[in-house]
């Protein structure tokens, strides 16, 4: 198999169409089709099923896609390793929405100023999604809620966040907020978020089965909490930097739920590029200045 054919196959599978792949690769559709037909002949299997909206992977195509992703990713790593005398090229970092909001800005500011030749991209998603993307070689590393405890990943503690339950200002405690006229509602990120799981456990320990409403952004969650539509759980530092802070009440949790460790994970078997090494250094420099003091305004649940 030619590496270039596998690279084209990955783009076709990801975009879901010959036309879209040709546009991304700046070539003609006939060239893409010829490459895919040749790859199918070489492997003796049908990889793509054509339909009106593009193409879909067959069972054989699905199997090849995972291998092709790993092979092309390793090839990219090899190229970077050979010319890796200074930070440059792509660097794909993942982070939880909350971490991206409160911890990454100073890291990104110093890093991009120091290494302008690095093509840095940041993806925000829940912990479970980010871990899967790192394992699939789609991200070089990610900041997630720890511990992860995965044998394929190297993880290192970076930040420790004080967690608080957040209600509208009028609620003196969590029990009062859960007795709202519309029943107990948790306003959280989508499934796979570690903060969501922790809040669900806290509420269920009170004998309450809550309704769970998914939101995509911190601003959306805090705005609805301030309006009295439900409760949430987030790092205290994030809330105290919010423009809605004066409309929210923060409640300390029991000691077992009071902190979350943010860890940086990467694949153990992946080459650590100069770009990633320098990102790691800037990340820890920021962590050294991020110690949190207990909030004097937080209440005990």
């Amino acid at each position: 198999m030619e590496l270039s054919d596998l690279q084209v196959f990955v783009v076709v599978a990801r975009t879901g169409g010959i036309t879209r792949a040709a546009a991304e690769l700046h070539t003609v559709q006939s060239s893409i089709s010829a490459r895919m037909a040749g790859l199918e002949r070489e492997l003796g299997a049908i990889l793509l099923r054509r339909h009106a909206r593009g193409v879909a992977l067959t069972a054989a195509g699905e199997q090849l896609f995972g291998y092709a992703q790993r092979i092309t990713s390793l090839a990219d790593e090899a190229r970077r390793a050979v010319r890796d005398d200074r930070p440059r090229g792509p660097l794909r970092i993942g982070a939880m929405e909350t971490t991206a909001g409160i911890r990454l800005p100073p890291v990104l500011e110093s890093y991009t100023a120091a290494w302008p030749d690095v093509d840095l991209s940041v993806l925000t998603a829940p912990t479970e999604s980010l871990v899967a993307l790192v394992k699939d070689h789609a991200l070089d590393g990610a900041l997630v809620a720890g511990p992860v405890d995965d044998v394929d990943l190297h993880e290192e503690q970076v930040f420790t966040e004080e967690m608080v339950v957040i209600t509208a200002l009028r609620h003196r405690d969590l029990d009062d907020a859960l007795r709202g006229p519309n029943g107990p509602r948790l306003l959280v990120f989508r499934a796979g978020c570690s903060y969501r799981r922790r809040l669900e456990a806290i509420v269920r320990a009170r004998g309450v089965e809550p309704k769970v409403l998914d939101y995509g952004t911190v601003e959306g969650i805090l705005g609805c909490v301030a309006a009295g539509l439900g409760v949430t759980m987030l790092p205290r530092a994030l809330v105290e930097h919010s423009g809605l802070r004066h409309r929210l009440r923060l409640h300390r949790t029991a000691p077992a739920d009071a902190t979350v460790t943010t860890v940086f994970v990467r694949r153990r078997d992946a080459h650590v590029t100069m770009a990633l090494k320098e990102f790691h250094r800037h990340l820890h420099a920021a962590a050294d200045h991020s110690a949190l003091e207990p909030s004097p305004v937080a209440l005990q649940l």
Side-chain angles (χ1 to χ4, degrees):
M1 287 180 287
E2 294 289 336
L3 176 62
S4 59
D5 288 343
L6 291 178
Q7 291 170 327
V8 171
F9 171 72
V10 168
V11 177
V12 172
R14 176 168 51 77
T15 60
I18 299 294
T19 302
R20 289 186 286 272
E24 182 170 319
L25 294 171
H26 305 290
T27 188
V28 295
Q29 297 178 40
S30 59
S31 175
I32 301 292
S33 297
R35 281 177 173 271
M36 294 302 93
L39 188 58
E40 289 178 328
R41 285 195 302 273
E42 183 178 355
L43 294 174
I46 301 300
L47 304 174
L48 303 170
R49 183 179 298 109
R50 278 72 173 174
H51 54 74
R53 296 183 302 278
V55 298
L57 294 179
T58 64
E62 291 282 0
Q63 283 191 314
L64 178 62
F65 184 53
Y67 287 108
Q69 281 185 306
R70 300 209 305 267
I71 292 169
T72 55
S73 177
L74 284 171
D76 288 341
E77 285 184 18
R79 292 189 194 96
R80 294 198 298 269
V82 168
R83 61 174 190 264
D84 204 14
D85 57 340
R86 60 180 279 111
R88 67 184 64 175
L91 179 63
R92 305 156 300 175
I93 299 296
M96 297 178 290
E97 176 92 13
T98 51
T99 304
I102 57 175
R103 301 300 178 199
L104 272 188
V107 179
L108 300 181
E109 181 182 13
S110 64
Y111 184 82
T112 55
W115 306 113
D117 292 335
V118 176
D119 182 14
L120 176 64
S121 60
V122 178
L123 172 72
T124 60
T127 288
E128 287 183 8
S129 299
L130 294 172
V131 168
L133 289 169
V134 173
K135 293 187 68 172
D136 288 343
H137 301 270
L139 292 173
D140 297 302
L143 288 156
V144 300
V148 175
D149 295 330
D150 190 302
V151 295
D152 293 329
L153 300 178
H154 172 81
E155 69 177 280
E156 185 173 2
Q157 180 177 334
V158 183
F159 304 111
T160 299
E161 303 291 356
E162 180 189 350
M163 302 300 295
V164 290
V165 173
I166 307 152
T167 69
L169 190 61
R170 67 175 181 269
H171 297 302
R172 299 300 303 175
D173 55 40
L174 179 58
D175 291 324
D176 178 47
L178 296 177
R179 288 193 296 266
N182 297 314
R185 288 188 293 195
L186 309 187
L187 310 180
V188 292
F189 294 112
R190 62 186 182 272
C193 173
S194 62
Y195 302 164
R196 169 184 179 146
R197 291 195 298 269
R198 187 171 296 208
L199 180 58
E200 287 174 343
I202 289 172
V203 172
R204 288 184 178 127
R206 285 169 151 73
V208 176
E209 189 60 35
K211 301 174 185 176
V212 179
L213 303 180
D214 293 353
Y215 286 79
T217 66
V218 171
E219 293 81 3
I221 290 174
L222 292 180
C224 290
V225 171
L229 299 181
V231 304
T232 193
M233 185 178 202
L234 291 170
R236 177 179 64 82
L238 178 70
V239 185
E240 293 189 337
H241 284 86
S242 169
L244 294 169
R245 176 64 187 86
H246 65 286
R247 297 174 55 194
L248 302 168
R249 190 177 299 276
L250 311 186
H251 309 269
R252 279 193 185 147
T253 69
D257 299 309
T259 59
V260 165
T261 299
T262 301
V263 299
F264 186 74
V265 296
R266 59 174 175 81
R267 285 194 63 94
R268 290 186 184 277
D269 59 358
H271 170 66
V272 180
T273 65
M274 284 294 293
L276 184 56
K277 287 178 183 176
E278 278 300 306
F279 182 84
H280 183 272
R281 185 177 68 81
H282 283 256
L283 189 62
H284 278 274
D288 290 341
H289 296 88
S290 67
L292 300 177
E293 296 295 331
S295 172
V297 298
L299 305 175
Q300 183 70 37
L301 286 175

